[in-house]
Amino acid sequence: MNTLPYTDQHHTFRKRLRDFLESEVIPHADKWEADHMVPRDIYRKMGSEGFLCPALSRKYGGMGGDFLYSVIVIEEIVRTNQSGLFAQLHSDVVVPYIESYGTEEQKQKYLPGCVSGDIVTAVAMTEPDAGSDLAAMTSTAVQDGDEVVLNGAKTFISNGIHCDLVVLAAKDPAVPTPHKSVSLYLVEDGTPGFKKGARQEKMGLRSQDTAELFFTNCRIPRENLLGNKGEGFIHLMQKLQQERLVCAVWATALANRILNWTKNYCRSTIVNRIPLSTSQAVQFALVEMQTDLRVGSAFLNDLIIDHIEKKDVVKETSMAKFWTTDVANRIANRCLEMVGDVATREECPIVRMWRDVRIHTIFAGTNEIMKGIVAKFMRL
Amino acid sequence: MLQLNKSQIQIQKTAREFATGEFDKDMARDLDRMAEFPKEIWKYAAELGFIGMHFPEKYGGGGMGMIENVLVAEEFCRKDATIGSSVMLSDVAADGLVRFGSDELRRQYIAEILEGRMRSGAAMTMPGGNDPGDAPGLTVTEAGDTWKINGKIEGLINGGEADIYCLLCKSGISDNGSDDISMFLVEADRPGIVCEKKHDTLGLRMTASSRVSFHNVEVPRTNLIGRKGRGLRQARQMLAEFQMLLSALALGTAQGALDRTLAHVKQREQFGRKIAQFQVNRHKLAAMATQIEQARFLTYQAAVCFDTKKPDPRLIAMAKLTAAKTAVQVAYEAIQLMGGYGFTTEYDVERFYRDAKALQIIGGNERELSDDIAEAVIGRIRK
């Protein structure tokens, strides 16, 4: 069995995190979901206990851990039944951009705050008319002396309300080739001309703050360019392997939790004087779903190990992203329907997860985009 | 395929026009969020005769068939799944009165329900099963000239908001040792009825589903619906009609999700093309439309059978199973085709997906319906 090579340190980390979440997050999860927001302070609490950016180098305050720590954070956050404490986006998607492409000065300036939770990050790529087709973005970045002037609107930005620092993708209008015109910039909250829009209400991930971001003649210092000018697309592409892996691990963790809850429900619920789990149809359905998850985690665990060994598994992570998220939705749908009337109520824990997991086939690149990528790798 | 006649096409058109004129998108989103019943729309729809098209005219119904009722339900949900369902489910107890009620009960209540002066509630499902006889939560005892009801219903449709309820109660033990079940009409304002909790539901949020308890609730003997001890059999017939309605609501929900998706994909551009021009998207839309036609065929067929011969529970279960599954799948793909927009409440399809899921679960889930269909298909097996 290709189980993940967790060490004692990993186990201790998981135990500490679980205890922390049980006292600091789980008791508030329902309230945060109802508020459609988590308190800003929870990031600082996470940070002060060392649960943010575990993979970041020690030099900037991180633990210098491997991707298994990220897997642990995702799995443990799923156990809290809220999605607003979006540590995996901050730690495993946005901060790596700064660590990989930032100048020493930028890293010194921002990374310690990212670890402590004083800085919450977001990444702004999607625009109202540029979703899957990222090259169609129209946000502009024009150099003006020592400054860069930003203009444009971004949408569906996770952590959009809480964020203190945004990694923004914008185009130089002077460069005609879309793929060579995009650069990444670091924009601090509070910069004149940078406005956060209203929270966008969603079917799921309700406690997570999603918002539009607006940039109107927003001037930032030239040195806030992140990475090389004109290489924004390449930078984005290089980080997508991890983002998609995060998405696959997350969806799988949700599916596992939904299935476990359902299995226990079927074992403990008596219908016509016998447990629901004695129904052959229920048994086979549970077996099929458990098998789907077992097959999926074999693949996923391989990819996690390859990813830790810094192998290029872009093709395989694209496969895993669409496959695991499809499976997770299928399992969610089947479990709700099997549980029956109880699963029409929000107090039933799998209902929230059913709502949350619907986005996984869409964000971090839609599953259609994933298949397009794999098709290219297969030279079709 | 069934050919709708002129009057049926006219009803379909009138229902569509009514829904288009009255169902407001922003209002729907607000009512969904706040879990409130669209009272004004319901009253207006009832005044215009859209509620209970298939009930006899002498009780205030439309004197038409189940197919007409199905057409109205479909058009309403096509325009708005949440509003449409809540309006059509307002008469959930009327069927029991029409079929089994005494003349007095019929005269007293059916017209009130169908003309929009009273809402009715019923418990069409019991914890753990679609069989209304499974572990009834209520018991009734004779107390002189009255019946006394005690117990609790977990998921009472329109519970806490309706004016009258149609309830199944354990009324004793029958000769073969099984529970004796009887059906009662209970006015909601009788002392001892407490709505303990209106459930926060994932879908159909304008239709209340509540935990309601009954403490020594006294009803006159005349509130018995049908015959004592026949409640289960009566409830099975009511369940068939309920499932018939759920198929129509699901069918309309699916069509409404497809309508919205088509509008989006023909307008949204990515990679220099309308997203309706990508082959895989086109095939997805083709599959959605195909599933909807299958669901429509079965639903209409079951309704026509309802009107011309007698209700065929097997066909109705097949229709409910197919239409609800279709609604879930079509709304799921609608969200996918709308991408991030589909996941926001700004667009209706996430709500339709939640409503579809609720429609799939209530009134019999896949296992329960498949059990019923299998029994009808396989028949007796010789030992």
Side-chain angles (χ1 to χ4, degrees), chain A residues 119-352:
Chain A
I119 296 175
V120 171
T121 57
V123 56
M125 295 191 248
T126 305
E127 295 182 3
D129 290 316
S132 288
D133 183 8
L134 206 53
M137 73 171 69
T138 56
S139 292
T140 57
V142 179
Q143 199 172 317
D144 181 20
D146 281 345
E147 292 179 323
V148 176
V149 184
L150 305 170
N151 275 291
K154 297 287 177 180
T155 193
F156 305 139
I157 307 306
S158 303
N159 293 352
I161 304 284
H162 280 321
C163 62
D164 305 287
L165 185 66
V166 179
V167 173
L168 173 79
K171 267 182 185 172
D172 180 350
V175 180
T177 322
H179 288 92
K180 290 179 183 164
S181 67
V182 175
S183 303
L184 304 181
Y185 297 91
L186 291 165
V187 187
E188 293 177 21
D189 183 28
T191 308
F194 167 31
K195 264 210 179 108
K196 296 169 177 179
R199 205 176 46 211
Q200 293 173 298
E201 303 299 347
K202 312 175 296 298
M203 172 188 171
L205 306 186
R206 287 200 182 149
S207 52
Q208 191 258 107
D209 52 312
T210 307
E212 289 185 293
L213 302 181
F214 301 102
F215 302 88
T216 315
N217 292 324
C218 172
R219 289 177 170 269
I220 54 168
R222 229 178 112 179
E223 53 269 24
N224 278 25
L225 171 72
L226 180 64
N228 298 326
K229 185 146 195 305
E231 290 187 16
F233 253 105
I234 299 169
H235 295 333
L236 290 173
M237 294 306 147
Q238 282 168 347
K239 289 289 165 198
L240 289 178
Q241 173 165 311
Q242 176 148 317
E243 183 177 353
R244 280 159 195 169
L245 210 44
V246 165
C247 186
V249 170
W250 186 4
T252 303
L254 279 168
N256 261 309
R257 207 162 156 71
I258 292 171
L259 183 58
N260 273 333
W261 188 92
T262 305
K263 187 179 72 185
N264 290 333
Y265 177 85
C266 291
R267 281 162 54 167
S268 61
T269 302
I270 309 294
V271 177
N272 287 332
R273 297 184 183 85
I274 49 171
L276 201 50
S277 58
T278 54
S279 149
Q280 192 183 31
V282 168
Q283 288 179 2
F284 281 25
L286 290 170
V287 166
E288 285 163 17
M289 290 188 276
Q290 193 73 73
T291 307
D292 275 341
L293 283 176
R294 184 63 195 86
V295 170
S297 60
F299 183 34
L300 204 49
N301 289 354
D302 267 353
L303 292 183
I304 291 168
I305 292 165
D306 286 347
H307 181 68
I308 291 170
E309 291 170 357
K310 302 213 180 320
K311 288 182 188 160
D312 180 346
V313 279
V314 171
K315 178 174 87 174
E316 288 78 7
T317 48
S318 304
M319 290 172 167
K321 194 270 175 183
F322 87 72
W323 197 83
T324 55
T325 57
D326 280 349
V327 165
N329 273 281
R330 212 154 59 221
I331 288 175
N333 263 315
R334 228 172 151 183
C335 284
L336 252 67
E337 195 265 320
M338 259 171 59
V339 166
D341 290 331
V342 167
T344 60
R345 298 171 198 142
E346 286 286 340
E347 67 192 14
C348 173
I350 63 171
V351 167
R352 187 178 297 167

Side-chain angles (χ1 to χ4, degrees), chain B residues 54-55 66 95 99 237-245:
Chain B
H54 57 306
F55 290 131
M66 177 56 81
D95 181 43
R99 283 172 193 272
Q237 292 184 42
M238 278 181 77
L239 183 67
E241 169 151 344
F242 183 57
Q243 289 172 342
M244 189 70 256
L245 177 62

Side-chain angles (χ1 to χ4, degrees), chain A residues 128-129 131-133 156 201-204 271-272 276 279 282 329 333 336-338 340-341 343-347 351 354-355 358-359 361-362 368-369, chain B residues 125-126 128 134 154-155 197 199-202 268 270-272 284 328 332 335-336 339-341 343-345 350 353-354 357 360-362 365-367:
Chain A
D129 290 316
S132 288
D133 183 8
F156 305 139
E201 303 299 347
K202 312 175 296 298
M203 172 188 171
V271 177
N272 287 332
L276 201 50
S279 149
V282 168
N329 273 281
N333 263 315
L336 252 67
E337 195 265 320
M338 259 171 59
D341 290 331
T344 60
R345 298 171 198 142
E346 286 286 340
E347 67 192 14
V351 167
W354 174 85
R355 285 193 288 97
R358 184 65 197 84
I359 194 59
T361 66
I362 296 169
E368 288 74 16
I369 291 296
Chain B
T125 51
M126 294 290 168
D134 284 350
E154 189 59 43
K197 183 181 191 187
H199 293 294
D200 184 10
T201 50
L202 97 156
R268 171 89 173 160
Q270 290 286 273
F271 304 101
K284 253 183 199 175
V328 172
Y332 180 90
I335 294 175
Q336 189 68 21
Y341 292 105
F343 194 62
T344 64
T345 56
E350 68 86 22
Y353 181 49
R354 290 187 283 109
K357 198 66 201 167
Q360 186 184 35
I361 294 171
I362 65 171
N365 65 6
E366 184 169 349
R367 172 176 46 83

